[in-house]
PDB file of all heavy atoms in Angstrom:
ATOM      1  N   ASP U  67     -15.701  -0.379  -0.393  1.00 93.00           N
ATOM      2  CA  ASP U  67     -16.914   0.213   0.177  1.00 93.00           C
ATOM      3  C   ASP U  67     -17.005   1.702  -0.133  1.00 93.00           C
ATOM      4  O   ASP U  67     -18.098   2.253  -0.290  1.00 93.00           O
ATOM      5  CB  ASP U  67     -16.945  -0.003   1.694  1.00 93.00           C
ATOM      6  CG  ASP U  67     -17.114  -1.468   2.070  1.00 93.00           C
ATOM      7  OD1 ASP U  67     -17.637  -2.233   1.231  1.00 93.00           O
ATOM      8  OD2 ASP U  67     -16.718  -1.837   3.188  1.00 93.00           O
ATOM      9  N   ASN U  68     -15.847   2.362  -0.201  1.00 93.00           N
ATOM     10  CA  ASN U  68     -15.817   3.792  -0.498  1.00 93.00           C
ATOM     11  C   ASN U  68     -14.421   4.158  -1.000  1.00 93.00           C
ATOM     12  O   ASN U  68     -13.485   3.348  -0.926  1.00 93.00           O
ATOM     13  CB  ASN U  68     -16.191   4.624   0.735  1.00 93.00           C
ATOM     14  CG  ASN U  68     -15.375   4.231   1.958  1.00 93.00           C
ATOM     15  OD1 ASN U  68     -14.144   4.352   1.960  1.00 93.00           O
ATOM     16  ND2 ASN U  68     -16.046   3.747   3.008  1.00 93.00           N
ATOM     17  N   GLU U  69     -14.300   5.387  -1.487  1.00 92.00           N
ATOM     18  CA  GLU U  69     -13.021   5.832  -2.059  1.00 92.00           C
ATOM     19  C   GLU U  69     -11.917   5.922  -1.009  1.00 92.00           C
ATOM     20  O   GLU U  69     -10.752   5.648  -1.299  1.00 92.00           O
ATOM     21  CB  GLU U  69     -13.188   7.193  -2.747  1.00 92.00           C
ATOM     22  CG  GLU U  69     -13.870   7.158  -4.093  1.00 92.00           C
ATOM     23  CD  GLU U  69     -15.394   7.097  -3.974  1.00 92.00           C
ATOM     24  OE1 GLU U  69     -15.908   7.119  -2.829  1.00 92.00           O
ATOM     25  OE2 GLU U  69     -16.069   7.036  -5.028  1.00 92.00           O
ATOM     26  N   LEU U  70     -12.282   6.300   0.230  1.00 92.00           N
ATOM     27  CA  LEU U  70     -11.275   6.420   1.280  1.00 92.00           C
ATOM     28  C   LEU U  70     -10.638   5.072   1.569  1.00 92.00           C
ATOM     29  O   LEU U  70      -9.418   4.975   1.793  1.00 92.00           O
ATOM     30  CB  LEU U  70     -11.895   6.990   2.556  1.00 92.00           C
ATOM     31  CG  LEU U  70     -10.926   7.263   3.715  1.00 92.00           C
ATOM     32  CD1 LEU U  70      -9.843   8.240   3.280  1.00 92.00           C
ATOM     33  CD2 LEU U  70     -11.679   7.785   4.929  1.00 92.00           C
ATOM     34  N   GLN U  71     -11.439   4.013   1.534  1.00 93.00           N
ATOM     35  CA  GLN U  71     -10.906   2.671   1.732  1.00 93.00           C
ATOM     36  C   GLN U  71      -9.918   2.313   0.627  1.00 93.00           C
ATOM     37  O   GLN U  71      -8.860   1.719   0.882  1.00 93.00           O
ATOM     38  CB  GLN U  71     -12.056   1.658   1.766  1.00 93.00           C
ATOM     39  CG  GLN U  71     -11.640   0.261   2.163  1.00 93.00           C
ATOM     40  CD  GLN U  71     -12.807  -0.716   2.137  1.00 93.00           C
ATOM     41  OE1 GLN U  71     -13.301  -1.078   1.072  1.00 93.00           O
ATOM     42  NE2 GLN U  71     -13.254  -1.124   3.311  1.00 93.00           N
ATOM     43  N   ALA U  72     -10.239   2.703  -0.602  1.00 96.00           N
ATOM     44  CA  ALA U  72      -9.348   2.443  -1.738  1.00 96.00           C
ATOM     45  C   ALA U  72      -8.040   3.223  -1.594  1.00 96.00           C
ATOM     46  O   ALA U  72      -6.957   2.700  -1.882  1.00 96.00           O
ATOM     47  CB  ALA U  72     -10.039   2.810  -3.044  1.00 96.00           C
ATOM     48  N   ILE U  73      -8.134   4.475  -1.151  1.00 95.00           N
ATOM     49  CA  ILE U  73      -6.934   5.293  -0.958  1.00 95.00           C
ATOM     50  C   ILE U  73      -6.031   4.678   0.103  1.00 95.00           C
ATOM     51  O   ILE U  73      -4.812   4.552  -0.083  1.00 95.00           O
ATOM     52  CB  ILE U  73      -7.322   6.735  -0.567  1.00 95.00           C
ATOM     53  CG1 ILE U  73      -8.020   7.433  -1.741  1.00 95.00           C
ATOM     54  CG2 ILE U  73      -6.087   7.527  -0.126  1.00 95.00           C
ATOM     55  CD1 ILE U  73      -8.680   8.740  -1.363  1.00 95.00           C
ATOM     56  N   ASN U  74      -6.624   4.284   1.222  1.00 92.00           N
ATOM     57  CA  ASN U  74      -5.835   3.672   2.290  1.00 92.00           C
ATOM     58  C   ASN U  74      -5.144   2.404   1.801  1.00 92.00           C
ATOM     59  O   ASN U  74      -3.985   2.130   2.148  1.00 92.00           O
ATOM     60  CB  ASN U  74      -6.734   3.343   3.488  1.00 92.00           C
ATOM     61  CG  ASN U  74      -7.190   4.578   4.232  1.00 92.00           C
ATOM     62  OD1 ASN U  74      -6.529   5.615   4.182  1.00 92.00           O
ATOM     63  ND2 ASN U  74      -8.311   4.498   4.920  1.00 92.00           N
ATOM     64  N   ASP U  75      -5.856   1.634   0.972  1.00 92.00           N
ATOM     65  CA  ASP U  75      -5.293   0.395   0.447  1.00 92.00           C
ATOM     66  C   ASP U  75      -4.094   0.680  -0.453  1.00 92.00           C
ATOM     67  O   ASP U  75      -3.038   0.055  -0.314  1.00 92.00           O
ATOM     68  CB  ASP U  75      -6.364  -0.388  -0.318  1.00 92.00           C
ATOM     69  CG  ASP U  75      -6.066  -1.888  -0.385  1.00 92.00           C
ATOM     70  OD1 ASP U  75      -5.361  -2.390   0.503  1.00 92.00           O
ATOM     71  OD2 ASP U  75      -6.571  -2.552  -1.307  1.00 92.00           O
ATOM     72  N   VAL U  76      -4.243   1.630  -1.361  1.00 96.00           N
ATOM     73  CA  VAL U  76      -3.150   1.891  -2.301  1.00 96.00           C
ATOM     74  C   VAL U  76      -1.943   2.502  -1.589  1.00 96.00           C
ATOM     75  O   VAL U  76      -0.792   2.231  -1.956  1.00 96.00           O
ATOM     76  CB  VAL U  76      -3.630   2.790  -3.467  1.00 96.00           C
ATOM     77  CG1 VAL U  76      -3.686   4.257  -3.087  1.00 96.00           C
ATOM     78  CG2 VAL U  76      -2.743   2.608  -4.693  1.00 96.00           C
ATOM     79  N   LEU U  77      -2.171   3.292  -0.542  1.00 95.00           N
ATOM     80  CA  LEU U  77      -1.053   3.861   0.204  1.00 95.00           C
ATOM     81  C   LEU U  77      -0.274   2.760   0.931  1.00 95.00           C
ATOM     82  O   LEU U  77       0.960   2.716   0.896  1.00 95.00           O
ATOM     83  CB  LEU U  77      -1.550   4.911   1.204  1.00 95.00           C
ATOM     84  CG  LEU U  77      -2.071   6.218   0.613  1.00 95.00           C
ATOM     85  CD1 LEU U  77      -2.588   7.143   1.724  1.00 95.00           C
ATOM     86  CD2 LEU U  77      -1.016   6.936  -0.207  1.00 95.00           C
ATOM     87  N   ARG U  78      -0.987   1.860   1.580  1.00 89.00           N
ATOM     88  CA  ARG U  78      -0.325   0.774   2.299  1.00 89.00           C
ATOM     89  C   ARG U  78       0.365  -0.194   1.328  1.00 89.00           C
ATOM     90  O   ARG U  78       1.492  -0.633   1.558  1.00 89.00           O
ATOM     91  CB  ARG U  78      -1.337   0.003   3.149  1.00 89.00           C
ATOM     92  CG  ARG U  78      -1.893   0.768   4.337  1.00 89.00           C
ATOM     93  CD  ARG U  78      -2.620  -0.175   5.287  1.00 89.00           C
ATOM     94  NE  ARG U  78      -1.676  -1.046   5.974  1.00 89.00           N
ATOM     95  CZ  ARG U  78      -2.041  -2.118   6.688  1.00 89.00           C
ATOM     96  NH1 ARG U  78      -3.314  -2.459   6.776  1.00 89.00           N
ATOM     97  NH2 ARG U  78      -1.130  -2.866   7.290  1.00 89.00           N
ATOM     98  N   LEU U  79      -0.317  -0.511   0.246  1.00 90.00           N
ATOM     99  CA  LEU U  79       0.233  -1.474  -0.713  1.00 90.00           C
ATOM    100  C   LEU U  79       1.483  -0.931  -1.403  1.00 90.00           C
ATOM    101  O   LEU U  79       2.456  -1.661  -1.608  1.00 90.00           O
ATOM    102  CB  LEU U  79      -0.824  -1.845  -1.749  1.00 90.00           C
ATOM    103  CG  LEU U  79      -1.982  -2.714  -1.249  1.00 90.00           C
ATOM    104  CD1 LEU U  79      -3.104  -2.748  -2.282  1.00 90.00           C
ATOM    105  CD2 LEU U  79      -1.511  -4.115  -0.915  1.00 90.00           C
ATOM    106  N   SER U  80       1.456   0.341  -1.778  1.00 95.00           N
ATOM    107  CA  SER U  80       2.614   0.921  -2.477  1.00 95.00           C
ATOM    108  C   SER U  80       3.816   1.028  -1.542  1.00 95.00           C
ATOM    109  O   SER U  80       4.963   0.786  -1.951  1.00 95.00           O
ATOM    110  CB  SER U  80       2.262   2.288  -3.067  1.00 95.00           C
ATOM    111  OG  SER U  80       1.742   3.159  -2.079  1.00 95.00           O
ATOM    112  N   ARG U  81       3.573   1.364  -0.297  1.00 93.00           N
ATOM    113  CA  ARG U  81       4.665   1.386   0.688  1.00 93.00           C
ATOM    114  C   ARG U  81       5.222  -0.027   0.862  1.00 93.00           C
ATOM    115  O   ARG U  81       6.444  -0.224   0.929  1.00 93.00           O
ATOM    116  CB  ARG U  81       4.162   1.914   2.036  1.00 93.00           C
ATOM    117  CG  ARG U  81       5.208   1.881   3.153  1.00 93.00           C
ATOM    118  CD  ARG U  81       4.613   2.439   4.449  1.00 93.00           C
ATOM    119  NE  ARG U  81       5.567   2.357   5.555  1.00 93.00           N
ATOM    120  CZ  ARG U  81       5.681   1.321   6.374  1.00 93.00           C
ATOM    121  NH1 ARG U  81       4.916   0.247   6.187  1.00 93.00           N
ATOM    122  NH2 ARG U  81       6.545   1.331   7.362  1.00 93.00           N
ATOM    123  N   GLY U  82       4.339  -1.000   0.923  1.00 90.00           N
ATOM    124  CA  GLY U  82       4.778  -2.382   1.048  1.00 90.00           C
ATOM    125  C   GLY U  82       5.656  -2.821  -0.112  1.00 90.00           C
ATOM    126  O   GLY U  82       6.606  -3.600   0.067  1.00 90.00           O
ATOM    127  N   MET U  83       5.356  -2.317  -1.317  1.00 94.00           N
ATOM    128  CA  MET U  83       6.164  -2.673  -2.484  1.00 94.00           C
ATOM    129  C   MET U  83       7.570  -2.089  -2.385  1.00 94.00           C
ATOM    130  O   MET U  83       8.543  -2.713  -2.835  1.00 94.00           O
ATOM    131  CB  MET U  83       5.488  -2.193  -3.768  1.00 94.00           C
ATOM    132  CG  MET U  83       4.249  -2.977  -4.168  1.00 94.00           C
ATOM    133  SD  MET U  83       4.511  -4.765  -4.328  1.00 94.00           S
ATOM    134  CE  MET U  83       5.840  -4.824  -5.525  1.00 94.00           C
ATOM    135  N   THR U  84       7.710  -0.908  -1.803  1.00 96.00           N
ATOM    136  CA  THR U  84       9.041  -0.342  -1.599  1.00 96.00           C
ATOM    137  C   THR U  84       9.888  -1.283  -0.754  1.00 96.00           C
ATOM    138  O   THR U  84      11.038  -1.597  -1.090  1.00 96.00           O
ATOM    139  CB  THR U  84       8.947   1.035  -0.905  1.00 96.00           C
ATOM    140  OG1 THR U  84       8.333   1.968  -1.796  1.00 96.00           O
ATOM    141  CG2 THR U  84      10.326   1.558  -0.521  1.00 96.00           C
ATOM    142  N   TYR U  85       9.316  -1.752   0.339  1.00 96.00           N
ATOM    143  CA  TYR U  85      10.034  -2.640   1.249  1.00 96.00           C
ATOM    144  C   TYR U  85      10.260  -4.008   0.604  1.00 96.00           C
ATOM    145  O   TYR U  85      11.334  -4.609   0.762  1.00 96.00           O
ATOM    146  CB  TYR U  85       9.269  -2.774   2.563  1.00 96.00           C
ATOM    147  CG  TYR U  85       9.424  -1.573   3.464  1.00 96.00           C
ATOM    148  CD1 TYR U  85       8.713  -0.407   3.239  1.00 96.00           C
ATOM    149  CD2 TYR U  85      10.310  -1.596   4.533  1.00 96.00           C
ATOM    150  CE1 TYR U  85       8.858   0.702   4.052  1.00 96.00           C
ATOM    151  CE2 TYR U  85      10.470  -0.495   5.356  1.00 96.00           C
ATOM    152  CZ  TYR U  85       9.739   0.656   5.113  1.00 96.00           C
ATOM    153  OH  TYR U  85       9.907   1.757   5.920  1.00 96.00           O
ATOM    154  N   LYS U  86       9.263  -4.503  -0.098  1.00 95.00           N
ATOM    155  CA  LYS U  86       9.386  -5.799  -0.755  1.00 95.00           C
ATOM    156  C   LYS U  86      10.513  -5.791  -1.784  1.00 95.00           C
ATOM    157  O   LYS U  86      11.369  -6.687  -1.788  1.00 95.00           O
ATOM    158  CB  LYS U  86       8.072  -6.176  -1.443  1.00 95.00           C
ATOM    159  CG  LYS U  86       8.110  -7.505  -2.180  1.00 95.00           C
ATOM    160  CD  LYS U  86       6.825  -7.756  -2.960  1.00 95.00           C
ATOM    161  CE  LYS U  86       5.624  -7.874  -2.071  1.00 95.00           C
ATOM    162  NZ  LYS U  86       4.413  -8.323  -2.808  1.00 95.00           N
ATOM    163  N   ASN U  87      10.528  -4.791  -2.644  1.00 96.00           N
ATOM    164  CA  ASN U  87      11.551  -4.721  -3.680  1.00 96.00           C
ATOM    165  C   ASN U  87      12.937  -4.507  -3.078  1.00 96.00           C
ATOM    166  O   ASN U  87      13.934  -5.051  -3.577  1.00 96.00           O
ATOM    167  CB  ASN U  87      11.215  -3.601  -4.668  1.00 96.00           C
ATOM    168  CG  ASN U  87       9.969  -3.897  -5.481  1.00 96.00           C
ATOM    169  OD1 ASN U  87       9.610  -5.053  -5.677  1.00 96.00           O
ATOM    170  ND2 ASN U  87       9.292  -2.858  -5.952  1.00 96.00           N
ATOM    171  N   ALA U  88      12.991  -3.726  -2.008  1.00 97.00           N
ATOM    172  CA  ALA U  88      14.287  -3.452  -1.376  1.00 97.00           C
ATOM    173  C   ALA U  88      14.851  -4.699  -0.712  1.00 97.00           C
ATOM    174  O   ALA U  88      16.022  -5.052  -0.924  1.00 97.00           O
ATOM    175  CB  ALA U  88      14.142  -2.331  -0.352  1.00 97.00           C
ATOM    176  N   VAL U  89      14.053  -5.385   0.098  1.00 96.00           N
ATOM    177  CA  VAL U  89      14.556  -6.537   0.831  1.00 96.00           C
ATOM    178  C   VAL U  89      14.839  -7.710  -0.107  1.00 96.00           C
ATOM    179  O   VAL U  89      15.643  -8.599   0.228  1.00 96.00           O
ATOM    180  CB  VAL U  89      13.555  -6.946   1.941  1.00 96.00           C
ATOM    181  CG1 VAL U  89      12.417  -7.782   1.404  1.00 96.00           C
ATOM    182  CG2 VAL U  89      14.262  -7.665   3.088  1.00 96.00           C
ATOM    183  N   SER U  90      14.214  -7.698  -1.292  1.00 94.00           N
ATOM    184  CA  SER U  90      14.444  -8.763  -2.276  1.00 94.00           C
ATOM    185  C   SER U  90      15.674  -8.504  -3.133  1.00 94.00           C
ATOM    186  O   SER U  90      16.017  -9.328  -3.986  1.00 94.00           O
ATOM    187  CB  SER U  90      13.218  -8.915  -3.184  1.00 94.00           C
ATOM    188  OG  SER U  90      12.067  -9.249  -2.433  1.00 94.00           O
ATOM    189  N   GLY U  91      16.316  -7.356  -2.933  1.00 93.00           N
ATOM    190  CA  GLY U  91      17.537  -7.048  -3.684  1.00 93.00           C
ATOM    191  C   GLY U  91      17.274  -6.598  -5.107  1.00 93.00           C
ATOM    192  O   GLY U  91      18.177  -6.672  -5.961  1.00 93.00           O
TER     193      GLY U  91
END
């Protein structure tokens, strides 16, 4: 809908990848 929504998405998603990759070994 707007750029702020995209920024929030990429911040949450990238943080999630840190945890995903870590817990997956």
Side-chain angles (χ1 to χ4, degrees):
D67 293 337
N68 51 62
E69 284 81 2
L70 184 58
Q71 188 182 71
I73 293 168
N74 289 335
D75 204 25
V76 80
L77 290 178
R78 291 193 70 192
L79 289 167
S80 54
R81 176 179 177 270
M83 288 305 304
T84 293
Y85 283 78
K86 179 186 296 189
N87 293 335
V89 81
S90 300

